[in-house]
């Protein structure tokens, strides 16, 4: 039901405390197309927008938190979880996706599926698919994030397609999972533990 701010883009603030529980994945059917100078930002807060509070969004045990083929969508300061077998954040077909300071957990599907963009300072755990899954060849960057097996074990913590980097991530897995896999060319894998 949002009306697009065609000058600045839009921000959706999610207050810390009680999770927003979804019955369907958020998509941009009514919203339109974010742009580089007009992004769509989902961000947690405690008392004022952008204060670093962690807002919670639950997939209600069955749906993705976000599913769309969009560019310039940002997720910051959130806990996105409880998606059953659905991918928690699926933002494919575009670029300029940003996922910063987000805890992603509790799915047998993937954590984040993205075409290109930045995933940084995130905590991935209890995921049965791929934690951070780059699906095609826009520049991608996964850095400074933590990946840990839980009851659900990664098939792989990170998958890079091409023109992508995995830098300074900490990956805690066992023999059931791969750490970092690549499926194309032009990747940089450096200083991961």
């Amino acid at each position: 039901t949002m009306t697009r701010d065609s000058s600045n883009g839009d921000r959706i603030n999610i207050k810390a405390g009680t999770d927003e529980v979804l019955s369907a994945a958020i998509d941009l059917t009514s919203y339109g197309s974010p742009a580089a100078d007009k992004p769509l930002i989902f961000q947690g807060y405690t008392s004022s927008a952008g204060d670093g509070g962690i807002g919670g969004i639950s997939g209600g045990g069955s749906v993705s938190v976000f599913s769309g083929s969009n560019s310039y969508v940002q997720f910051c300061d959130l806990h996105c979880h409880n998606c059953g077998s659905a991918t928690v954040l699926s933002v494919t077909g575009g670029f300029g996706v940003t996922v910063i300071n987000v805890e992603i957990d509790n799915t047998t599907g993937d954590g984040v599926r993205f075409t290109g963009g930045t995933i940084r300072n995130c905590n991935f755990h209890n995921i049965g698919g791929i934690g951070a899954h780059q699906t095609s060849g826009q520049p991608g960057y996964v850095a400074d994030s933590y990946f840990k097996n839980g009851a659900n074990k990664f098939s792989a913590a990170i998958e890079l397609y091409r023109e992508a980097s995995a830098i300074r991530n900490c990956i805690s897995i066992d023999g059931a999972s791969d750490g970092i896999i690549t499926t194309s060319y032009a990747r940089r894998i450096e200083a991961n533990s």
Side-chain angles (χ1 to χ4, degrees), residues 118-182:
T118 299
I119 297 173
R120 199 184 76 213
N121 196 34
C122 292
N123 179 359
F124 293 81
H125 59 98
N126 199 21
I127 293 171
I130 299 170
H133 186 183
Q134 183 195 23
T135 60
S136 66
Q138 298 292 335
Y141 183 72
V142 181
D144 305 312
S145 294
Y146 182 61
F147 297 82
K148 181 172 177 49
N149 274 342
N152 296 318
K153 298 182 183 298
F154 298 111
S155 57
I158 300 170
E159 179 173 346
L160 302 177
Y161 184 72
R162 70 171 182 243
E163 298 178 30
S165 301
I167 301 172
R168 296 181 310 272
N169 297 290
C170 181
I171 302 171
S172 177
I173 56 176
D174 57 27
S177 307
D178 289 322
I180 301 172
I181 59 176
T182 62

Side-chain angles (χ1 to χ4, degrees), residues 73-85:
V73 180
Q74 301 176 17
F75 303 90
C76 308
D77 305 326
L78 295 169
H79 178 206
C80 299
H81 63 105
N82 193 25
C83 295
S85 61

Side-chain angles (χ1 to χ4, degrees), residues 12 18 44 54-55 59 92 105 109 124 126 164:
I12 299 172
T18 303
I54 304 297
T92 57
D105 69 300
F124 293 81
N126 199 21

Side-chain angles (χ1 to χ4, degrees), residues 4-167:
R4 176 148 178 76
D5 179 340
S6 58
S7 300
N8 306 302
D10 287 303
R11 168 186 288 273
I12 299 172
N13 297 307
I14 296 106
K15 188 168 177 120
T18 303
D19 283 353
E20 298 292 331
V21 179
L22 305 177
S23 58
I26 299 167
D27 65 38
L28 301 186
T29 304
S30 302
Y31 174 83
S33 299
D37 58 342
K38 301 169 192 71
L40 172 60
I41 302 167
F42 294 90
Q43 187 167 19
Y45 76 102
T46 300
S47 57
S48 62
D51 66 8
I54 304 297
I57 306 176
S58 166
S62 63
V63 300
S64 294
V65 169
F66 184 92
S67 183
S69 212
N70 308 96
S71 299
Y72 307 112
V73 180
Q74 301 176 17
F75 303 90
C76 308
D77 305 326
L78 295 169
H79 178 206
C80 299
H81 63 105
N82 193 25
C83 295
S85 61
T87 295
V88 178
L89 298 175
S90 181
V91 195
T92 57
F95 48 90
V97 173
T98 304
V99 182
I100 296 178
N101 195 32
V102 177
E103 180 180 5
I104 298 162
D105 69 300
N106 197 12
T107 182
T108 58
D110 289 345
V112 177
R113 290 177 64 91
F114 69 111
T115 304
T118 299
I119 297 173
R120 199 184 76 213
N121 196 34
C122 292
N123 179 359
F124 293 81
H125 59 98
N126 199 21
I127 293 171
I130 299 170
H133 186 183
Q134 183 195 23
T135 60
S136 66
Q138 298 292 335
Y141 183 72
V142 181
D144 305 312
S145 294
Y146 182 61
F147 297 82
K148 181 172 177 49
N149 274 342
N152 296 318
K153 298 182 183 298
F154 298 111
S155 57
I158 300 170
E159 179 173 346
L160 302 177
Y161 184 72
R162 70 171 182 243
E163 298 178 30
S165 301
I167 301 172

